[in-house]
Amino acid sequence: MMIDAYKAGFPGNGKPFPDGAKMAKVHWNEKVNDHEPGAPTIPGSQHDVDFMLKDSKRFADSGGWGYGVFEYDAASANFRLGNLTDKPPQGNDAKCGFACHTIVKTRDYVFTDYGHR
């Protein structure tokens, strides 16, 4: 559903994503690959995984989106729930990502554009 919405021009078309749309975003800490010309940046260690689910009734108080953040702990090789000590701090409810996403309210609270291939 999310890919179809992106292909239809969301969020740049000014319309809200449909209820039921979901996205996952994997964040990596970048590192420099010294073995390639130009020393490009590449994914290093994993940082976290973020999730968003559009349900305008269930998450009406956070722009229609529910958020989840799972931080990766390299020492234990496990994920844990995001918390207030993380950067940015994460609350313990489905609104944990809403504060950061308000700056893209006109894009239905979504930063990411679809990467055309």
Side-chain angles (χ1 to χ4, degrees), residues 5-79:
Y6 272 126
K7 287 180 177 179
F10 293 71
N13 63 6
K15 296 180 183 178
F17 283 90
D19 278 357
K22 302 171 188 173
M23 96 168 41
K25 193 170 194 180
V26 179
H27 291 135
W28 300 89
N29 296 307
E30 68 179 34
K31 68 178 185 177
V32 174
N33 183 344
D34 295 322
H35 306 292
E36 296 291 331
T41 57
I42 59 172
S45 58
Q46 188 163 11
H47 185 272
D48 65 27
V49 177
D50 299 340
F51 296 96
M52 290 174 64
L53 166 65
K54 182 69 179 263
D55 186 327
S56 57
K57 292 179 184 166
R58 185 173 173 197
F59 304 116
D61 59 347
S62 56
W65 290 97
Y67 300 86
V69 175
F70 297 87
E71 296 285 328
Y72 182 70
D73 177 46
S76 67
N78 288 305
F79 288 90

Side-chain angles (χ1 to χ4, degrees), residues 76-97:
S76 67
N78 288 305
F79 288 90
R80 64 166 175 76
L81 290 173
N83 62 46
L84 296 174
T85 65
D86 295 323
K87 293 181 183 177
Q90 302 296 323
N92 297 317
D93 58 22
K95 296 184 284 188
C96 64

Side-chain angles (χ1 to χ4, degrees), residues 11 14 63 98 100-111:
F98 183 59
C100 292
H101 285 251
T102 57
I103 63 173
V104 286
K105 181 178 180 178
T106 60
R107 296 171 46 87
D108 195 24
Y109 303 95
V110 175
F111 287 103

